[in-house]
Amino acid sequence: MKKLYIKTYGCQMNVYDSDRMTDVLAPLGYVPHHAPEDADMVILNTCHIREKASEKVFSELGRLRQLKERARDQIGRDMMITVAGCVAQAEGEEITRRAPWVDMVVGPQSYHRLPEMITKLDPAARNSVIDTDFPEEVKFDYLPEEVAHRGPAAFLSVQEGCDKFCAFCVVPYTRGAEFSRSVAQVVDEAKKLVAAGTREITLLGQNVNAYHGEGPDGKNWGLGRLLHHLAEVDGVERLRYTTSHPLDMDDELIYAHRDIPALMPYLHLPVQAGSDRILSAMNRRHTADEYIAIIDRLRDAVPHLALSGDFIVGFPGETDADFADTLRLVDRVSYASAYSFKYSERPGTPAANAENQVDEAVKSDRLSSLQQLLDSQQMAFNKGCEGTKMDILVERVGGRDGQMTGRSPFMQSVYFEGDESQLGQILPMEISEARQNSLTARILTSD
Ligand code: SAH
Ligand code: SF4
Ligand code: F3S
């Protein structure tokens, strides 16, 4: 038995990939372990989306070097260090140059080759093995049949890569071209997850609503149709999907929200900015009004839909007036939750070379005004839940004795008094108190 420690950064796709790397390494005798100190293999599954995310990797590698040396000197055991994910893809050679103690570098589309890479390693020679190909073969066809237990709520990647090329974004370069798995493969994996105890499945893709996988009829199916099909799978109680692009929000998907009870009333639909000038410079390919029209149609279909979004402040050339447009859009839409970031220059992306970069201090000011508005909307949304009844999926043991945590249909974290026997159950509860980032509830009993 060998101990495998994986540290995951970035988006849900990396969380999914980390689980699949665990599956790939299981036949070689690796079992998941909770700490790097005494691990035989440490994998950093990295994110390149913003500068801070990438830099974290190198500081972590510094710490791991010490652990590796200690393991070798004190107990004569070799600790293999692997860098996976989007930084690996973007900076493969650079990583082994800056951190020669790294044994393997593997990109997000080639990690099914890890077992083969391990055989090429010679710890005595201290060589590094790098594989950042975008292979001909598709990794999903080479991943092991076995899916390890994932818990009551699990991710399932159905789509990868991106062809949209937003001017700020590294994803098309780190993840490659858009690709959709077949309906049969997705359904097969969903059944395995259910058999292992999963009740809520979140379908993943960098552009998940651009999904166009081959259906059983040989035709390409969209995400709406896939969701209908998955809702029929025995044991799939709840469905979600993320992340979507406004341009791919077609009618079938909008009506899926209305027609599929298992599809939760929550949608993450990033807009990034509210100014048409900035949206165009970002290459988002839609206007603010077009985005709002989509939101209105969604709300016509599902009036209680909770919305979430992503925002970037300080994109090159963004003026105070442009930023005011973002605040106006947020005001108009009203989000239940949101993520907002200062624009970060990413090497190799079109916007990184723009001359009209926005001052850091201006970015900080804008970010705090935007977050203030988004926070107040989130609080108002959560407050509106007080006194209501919801079905909560019990996910984890809470921090305090006798406390459990679960997830509401609207993606809120919910704390309540309960016990471990309730894990994986969907229980009716009444929301007693709202906080900024969570709810408190009590279980409703039938008597
Ligand atoms: N595919 C998704 C987003 C993937 S990246 C979409 O199209 O919306 C997740 C979020 O990170 C983005 O929505 C964006 O808000 C943010 N982001 C991406 N690149 C960034 C950059 N260079 N600087 C700051 N934030 C960025
Ligand atoms: Fe990045 Fe745009 Fe693709 Fe989203 S749609 S992953 S932001 S390039
Ligand atoms: Fe980061 Fe790669 Fe995801 S850059 S956000 S881990 S696709």
Side-chain angles (χ1 to χ4, degrees), residues 76-144:
R77 179 173 51 78
D78 198 52
M79 172 197 274
M80 264 193 265
I81 300 178
T82 299
V83 180
C86 291
V87 179
Q89 190 62 46
E91 299 186 7
E93 300 280 343
E94 170 76 3
I95 292 169
T96 51
R97 197 184 58 73
R98 272 176 76 177
W101 57 95
V102 167
D103 299 288
M104 295 192 289
V105 176
V106 64
Q109 305 307 354
S110 43
Y111 61 76
H112 57 290
R113 293 176 174 171
L114 272 171
E116 189 188 325
M117 290 172 71
I118 291 176
T119 63
K120 291 186 190 150
L121 266 182
D122 176 1
R126 298 190 166 204
N127 63 333
S128 306
V129 181
I130 303 181
D131 188 342
T132 51
D133 285 356
F134 287 119
E136 288 274 309
E137 84 270 10
V138 174
K139 70 177 174 210
F140 296 109
D141 295 338
Y142 291 81
L143 294 174

Side-chain angles (χ1 to χ4, degrees), residues 9-15 17 45-50 53 85-87 108 160 169-171 174-175 206:
Y9 303 81
C11 64
Q12 294 100 327
M13 305 219 55
N14 262 12
V15 175
D17 287 344
N45 195 10
T46 62
C47 173
H48 197 52
I49 202 83
R50 285 169 290 275
C86 291
V87 179
E160 283 246 6
C169 183
V170 294
V171 169
T174 61
R175 294 273 172 168
Q206 264 87 24

